[in-house]
Structures are given as structure tokens and as C-alpha cells.
Amino acid sequence: MTDTDYKLASIDRKEILAAARKALIAANAQYYALTAQEQERFRATVGREARQKIQCVLLDSLLDIKCSTEEVDAIWDDIPLAELNRLNWASLLTTGIGEDYIYLNEGMGKGKTLLDFPTLYDYDYADYLFQEKANNRDFPDYKGADYYAYKHQSWVRLLIQERFYYASFLSLATHVLGEIDSVGNETIRQLIPHDYVNGENHGKKEDGGFLWDMKIDAAGQEAQLDELKSRWYSYQQERWFALSEKNNHLSPAVYIHDKDWGDDFQRRFIFTNEATLKQIRWRYFLSDCEPMMAEYSVVEKLLAEEIDRANNWLVENHQDIKNNFDPTVIKLRKKRKIIMSASALEDLGEIDTDDGPF
């Protein structure tokens, strides 16, 4: 950061602090008469009406946009990304908890707040139980799965050295499998070149929306590609559990990996295992992470090994499919009809439709 950037950041920070203070008073005139614990509880449990008052003040203070509480949600949703960072920073000061004003962008169940989950493990294990309950309800043949740390990453906001950061929390196994997914998908493209083309019903109007009907064109190898991708999905599932079990025997550690998102600060926190999560409290997140910080080069070494392993597996399985697969044997799959809004249909048309590992 240059001297000019630093001065601008300092000015922004002062404006943001002032805006957040004004917003909290608008939401609760007695806010600064409360104890620190009561203030934190207010931020963690802020209701819809108070939140809308906060948003109105922040829009007025930081962007000179005046609005009523009835229209604030729509206006906030239309704010350009370039302006959203400052608003989110100020908003964090009105909703975050603990030393780092940490805020979890995830559902926590009715009546639950981050204060109900002392450690990262408490939240992650509760989420695991919720996922297991949903899987047992929705899939009669579901056999259950053992708990391992952070299979599904969490999206978080927090302050790091008095700067606003977007962050993601995930396990070492989830990080590695996420990184090799794109590499593996590119290897599959090289082994069986293919592309996505519009199906005959793509874009047709139905039930107030439009049909999503994309087909894979693999020059006659569609069945072989489907088989390889099915095996690849199973490989990633099995490998995640194998890595998670192996990592359970490692010492607790935290790795950080920064992502380049233009003017936004984004950091990925990677946790080795369950034991790591149990030692990190939400209210003292960075302080608890500090003694367990480890060099990211350890992750890079593991990632290189897993990429080689995955690519070799894909080549071997592709060869097995070429030698032994019978494309005339069709797997039975339930057909699905996907109806989307016009804007969603347009957005999805711009991205790669390959699925992730989970």
C-alpha cells in the first residue's frame, strides 16, 4: 500500500467509524449507555426494523443517499460493487461480535446467533447435524457420514488490523479438493474434448420462467464423458474423507491464503482438523488462531501431490473406460425440469456449468 493509499484508507476508516456510530444510535438511542456485553448482544441480535434504520443512516452518511426504511432494502441491493465495500465495512461495525467484529454470513437457525456457538467447532458440528438430518429426510437410502471439520466452507466478514476483510473458513481437505476440482475438470476436457450447447427447449417460456436445457456435445463420446465425470465425482468424495481422516492425526494448525479480488481484501482461513476448531473462539478469532499459524508452503506441497494423484487417476480411468465401457448400457437417472427467471438464465449462460466437488 502506498502512502497515498494509506492516507485514503485512514480517511475512509474515520468516516466509516463515524457513520457506524451514528447508525447504532439511530437504531438504539441508549446504545452507548449499555455495557460492552450488552452492546455486543444488541449487534448480534439486531432485528429487521433496527437493521433498516442502520442501513438508512449508512447510505446517507457514506453515499449521500436518503431513503425511508420501506425502500432501503431495494436501494441497498442496487448499490454498485465499487461502493459496497465501504457500506459492508460500516455495517460490520453494527453487527459483528468479539475482538475482530466477526460476522458469519450463514444461517444459524431460528433464534440463534453467533454468541450461541462459543467455538468454530460448536458451529460446524451443529451444521453437520443439520446436514445429516436433512439428508436422512430427503434421501431414504442415505447411510450417514462421520463428522470431519468444515466440509462446507463458511463465508465470514471481520476486521484484520483495522481493515475490513471478506473471509472464508474451510478445512484443509476441503481446500485441497476445491483446488484440484478445476484442475481435474480441465484434464477431463483434454481427455474428452466437449462443450455445452443449447438443447431444443433451452430458453422456452414455461410457468412464468424459462427452461434451462443445455446439452453436452462430446463428438459422440457423451456416454464415456458422463461415466468419467461420475467416477471423478465419486473419487473426490472418497478422497475428501480419506484426507480428513489423515489430517485428524496432525497437530492443530491454521493456514491463510489471500485472494486477489481487486480493491477488496479477501483471506481464506484453512483449518487442519476438528482439534483446531475446538481451540478457536469466535469472539477471539484472530488471537486464538495466532499461535497455530503455519506456513502455507505446507499446503502447496500437499496440493501438488494431490493434483498429480488426481490427474494420474483420471488418465487411468479414462483408459479403462476406452477399453471396457459399453456406451449402450444407459444408467437410469431421474429427469429434472429446471425453470429459471430471465436474468438467472442469462447469468448462468455466462459461466462454466461443471459441478464442484461437493
Side-chain angles (χ1 to χ4, degrees), residues 316-349:
E316 291 172 4
N317 275 263
H318 176 241
Q319 188 61 48
D320 177 67
I321 291 170
K322 286 175 64 177
N323 294 340
N324 303 302
F325 179 68
D326 183 357
T328 63
V329 177
I330 301 174
K331 293 182 179 180
L332 295 178
R333 287 198 177 100
K334 185 177 180 179
K335 289 186 177 181
R336 294 184 298 171
K337 181 186 290 186
I338 303 175
I339 301 174
M340 298 181 172
S341 67
S343 59
L345 188 68
E346 182 178 345
D347 289 343
L348 279 176

Side-chain angles (χ1 to χ4, degrees), residues 96-111:
I97 68 163
E99 294 179 339
D100 315 304
Y101 282 87
I102 198 163
Y103 178 83
L104 181 63
N105 283 21
E106 307 285 351
M108 285 176 275
K110 188 175 181 180

Side-chain angles (χ1 to χ4, degrees), residues 176-192:
V176 169
L177 265 297
E179 292 294 305
I180 72 167
D181 179 56
S182 59
V183 176
N185 287 333
E186 182 56 35
T187 298
I188 291 174
R189 283 189 182 276
Q190 294 173 9
L191 294 171
I192 306 179

